[in-house]
Amino acid sequence: MDFSEKYGPWALIAGASDGVGKTFAEALAARGLNVVLLARREAVLHDVADQIHRLHNVQTRVLALDLSKPDVAAEIHNRVSDLEIGFLVYCAGADANFRPFLESDIAIAEQMLHRNCVVLTQLCHHFCTSMAKRNRGAVVIFGSGGGLAGAANMVTYCASKAFDMVFAEGLYCELKPKGVDVLGLILGETDTPSLRQLRYERGLSNSPDEPVRRAQSPTSVVEDALQNLTKGPTRMANKKMRWGLKLLFPISRNRLVSLMDKANQKVMGKG
């Protein structure tokens, strides 16, 4: 099967209005997939959809929804119930707050956990069930270097991204035998509009449009992800992170997952 046959006919990209999510939608459309674009800003999504249709002549659908809201997963299911989703990209959950945990309203932490963990779980359960039955499909779950350890001002964010990484690894173990590719994509510093805005607000740049020096570009992140789509469960999207983790940890994440899965199978009497 070619790419569109294996992963199509439709891809759903959460967080598709700009940055890496938008770039991922464009890359999948260039490979022949129709795309569902999901984010909060409807006008921006329609601009992205128009551009993708014009350049790649694929079908598009816009879902202007807030992933931090209750029952949003059910709303997504209803809005795409007529489509066969073969590729799910969950690229939502950046931390625009970046403040100490105790100085922030607890609702901010709860919304982040709902968006980064609960809705992700709900969407994967729904769409991966169909993918497993068809014995084909793909899921890319965006993590962060923040998920490797906790840090000040990112207490809930780091914890949620640790969940995303381990969730992707476990999902990979269950779905790989069923023909579904799962990749946990761990981002380092990436030159996105949200990071540019955060740096500007913190006085680290002169403009919200100023590029972040030495950061990965969204294009390089997406191309690296697609090149390693079948080599999960975890891919460090940042070259500096890959080298740094080799020095810190003698066993790679993927090797660790393999050992854990084999040990689990023995304990459960399947090895």
Side-chain angles (χ1 to χ4, degrees), residues 83-157:
L83 306 180
E84 184 178 302
I85 304 295
F87 204 124
L88 173 63
V89 179
Y90 203 82
C91 180
D95 185 7
N97 189 43
F98 200 74
R99 293 178 58 200
F101 177 69
L102 298 182
E103 294 180 12
S104 303
D105 194 305
I106 188 61
I108 294 176
E110 292 171 341
Q111 289 171 359
M112 178 169 290
L113 291 173
H114 184 73
R115 180 175 63 244
N116 287 9
C117 304
V118 176
V119 176
L120 166 66
T121 304
Q122 293 169 332
L123 293 183
C124 285
H125 189 274
H126 179 79
F127 292 115
C128 290
T129 297
S130 300
M131 292 181 196
K133 290 178 179 177
R134 296 192 297 266
N135 297 117
R136 61 181 180 85
V139 181
V140 176
I141 298 171
F142 277 71
S144 166
L148 299 172
N153 298 317
M154 299 193 299
V155 173
T156 308
Y157 176 76

Side-chain angles (χ1 to χ4, degrees), residues 6 49 142 145 209 222:
K6 185 174 182 180
F142 277 71
D209 298 319
V222 170

Side-chain angles (χ1 to χ4, degrees), residues 14 19 21-22 39-40 46 50 66 79 101 106 119 125 150 158 164 168 204 217 223 230-231 237 249 257 260:
K22 175 187 174 185
R40 289 176 297 174
H46 279 295
D50 290 344
D66 186 344
R79 299 270 290 271
F101 177 69
I106 188 61
V119 176
H125 189 274
C158 289
D164 291 349
L204 300 174
S217 70
E223 289 303 318
T230 62
K231 302 174 185 177
F249 301 103
V257 171
M260 176 68 79

